C-alpha cells in the first residue's frame, strides 16, 4: 500500500493534464504528420498510444480520487 500512496500523492490534476495533452498530441499532431508521410503502420500505433494515454490518464485520476 505504500507504493500506491506514493503514486497517489504524485498524481495530481497537473499530472492528469500532462498525460492527456501528450495523448492528444500523439493523436492529432503525430497522427497527421505520419499520415502525410504515408506511414500507415506508424500512424495507427501513434493514434492507439494517444488513446491509451487519454483513457488511462483519466482513469488513473478517477481511481486515485476514489481511493
Amino acid at each position: 500500500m505504500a507504493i500506491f500512496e506514493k503514486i497517489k500523492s504524485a498524481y495530481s490534476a497537473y499530472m492528469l493534464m500532462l498525460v492527456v495533452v501528450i495523448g492528444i498530441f500523439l493523436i492529432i499532431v503525430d497522427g497527421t504528420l505520419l499520415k502525410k508521410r504515408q506511414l500507415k503502420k506508424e500512424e495507427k500505433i501513434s493514434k492507439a498510444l494517444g488513446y491509451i494515454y487519454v483513457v488511462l490518464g483519466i482513469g488513473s485520476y478517477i481511481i486515485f480520487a476514489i481511493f
Side-chain angles (χ1 to χ4, degrees), residues 30-45:
D30 270 357
T32 304
L33 290 175
L34 293 169
K35 187 175 186 177
K36 286 181 183 178
R37 293 181 183 163
Q38 298 180 350
L39 300 169
K40 299 291 182 188
K41 182 179 176 183
E42 288 81 1
E43 175 193 1
K44 287 181 183 179
I45 292 170

Side-chain angles (χ1 to χ4, degrees), residues 7-60:
I7 295 171
K8 182 179 178 179
S9 67
Y11 204 86
S12 63
Y14 298 114
M15 183 66 99
L16 167 69
M17 292 303 296
L18 179 65
V19 172
V20 171
V21 167
I22 290 171
I24 292 170
F25 180 84
L26 282 171
I27 294 167
I28 296 173
V29 177
D30 270 357
T32 304
L33 290 175
L34 293 169
K35 187 175 186 177
K36 286 181 183 178
R37 293 181 183 163
Q38 298 180 350
L39 300 169
K40 299 291 182 188
K41 182 179 176 183
E42 288 81 1
E43 175 193 1
K44 287 181 183 179
I45 292 170
S46 174
K47 286 188 177 185
L49 287 174
Y51 287 121
I52 290 170
Y53 263 78
V54 171
V55 170
L56 288 181
I58 294 170
S60 298

Side-chain angles (χ1 to χ4, degrees), residues 4 8 11 55-67:
F4 182 78
K8 182 179 178 179
Y11 204 86
V55 170
L56 288 181
I58 294 170
S60 298
Y61 186 76
I62 291 170
I63 288 171
F64 291 136
I66 292 172
F67 296 107

